[in-house]
């Protein structure tokens, strides 16, 4: 008798404008810390060409490799498929659907900044991700 894997406890979509920094770091932390317990997506309203190299470096310092990630465009389907939509400065570009939990994390944009400036943003994202996982686990 084979057991089927449990469905993820929740699905989370992280959204920022370029899907190159904050949302990629958040997705990296949630995937790393929650494993397959949570389905993770990220997208941007105006995706960049590549993930911010300073964000990649800052995450590498934390032991998480996001170098293979690519910015993706935000679609209504991605929002519909998510239980939680966590925005990080995308403003009104994010479509709203009933039955989803929306959170807005006000975080400094790491675009154009060096790794030293990205580290405190990374650390704040990690703190929020750990709190989010604790919230999931409490349910």
């Amino acid at each position: 008798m084979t057991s089927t894997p449990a469905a993820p406890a929740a699905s989370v979509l992280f959204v920022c404008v370029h899907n190159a920094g904050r949302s990629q770091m958040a997705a990296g932390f949630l995937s790393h810390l929650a494993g397959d317990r949570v389905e993770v997506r990220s997208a941007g309203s105006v995706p960049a060409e590549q993930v911010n190299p300073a964000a990649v470096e800052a995450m590498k310092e934390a032991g998480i490799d996001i170098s293979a990630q690519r910015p993706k465009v935000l679609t209504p389907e991605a929002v519909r498929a998510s239980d939680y939509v966590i925005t990080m400065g995308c403003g009104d570009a994010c479509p709203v659907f009933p039955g989803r939990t929306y959170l807005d994390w006000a975080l400094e944009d790491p675009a154009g900044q060096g790794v030293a400036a990205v580290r405190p943003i990374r650390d704040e994202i990690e703190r929020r991700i750990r709190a989010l996982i604790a919230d999931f686990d409490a349910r």
Side-chain angles (χ1 to χ4, degrees), residues 4-86:
T4 55
S11 58
V12 179
L13 170 65
F14 295 102
V15 182
C16 66
V17 175
H18 300 297
N19 188 218
R22 295 166 289 189
S23 57
Q24 291 285 355
M25 290 190 287
F29 272 123
L30 187 55
S31 294
H32 180 76
L33 296 170
D36 57 6
R37 294 184 301 147
V38 178
E39 186 177 9
V40 181
R41 299 177 182 83
S42 70
S45 49
V46 184
E49 292 293 315
Q50 66 178 25
V51 175
N52 179 338
V56 171
E57 183 61 32
M59 290 299 285
K60 189 181 296 180
E61 292 175 359
I64 301 170
D65 183 4
I66 62 169
S67 63
Q69 298 301 315
R70 297 289 168 257
K72 296 165 282 307
V73 69
L74 176 64
T75 64
E77 293 76 27
V79 176
R80 264 192 218 99
S82 302
D83 300 314
Y84 291 80
V85 179
I86 300 176

Side-chain angles (χ1 to χ4, degrees), residues 13-17 22-23 74 84-95 101-107 128:
L13 170 65
F14 295 102
V15 182
C16 66
V17 175
R22 295 166 289 189
S23 57
L74 176 64
Y84 291 80
V85 179
I86 300 176
T87 58
M88 304 169 177
C90 77
D92 297 333
C94 193
T101 299
Y102 290 87
L103 303 172
D104 185 47
W105 290 357
L107 296 162
R128 291 178 188 218

Side-chain angles (χ1 to χ4, degrees), residues 86-133:
I86 300 176
T87 58
M88 304 169 177
C90 77
D92 297 333
C94 193
V96 174
F97 293 100
R100 308 295 171 282
T101 299
Y102 290 87
L103 303 172
D104 185 47
W105 290 357
L107 296 162
E108 189 178 343
D109 188 350
Q113 299 197 54
V115 106
V118 174
R119 284 183 191 116
I121 301 167
R122 174 203 63 202
D123 294 346
E124 176 60 16
I125 290 170
E126 180 181 13
R127 186 191 69 70
R128 291 178 188 218
I129 292 297
R130 288 184 183 279
L132 186 67
I133 292 169

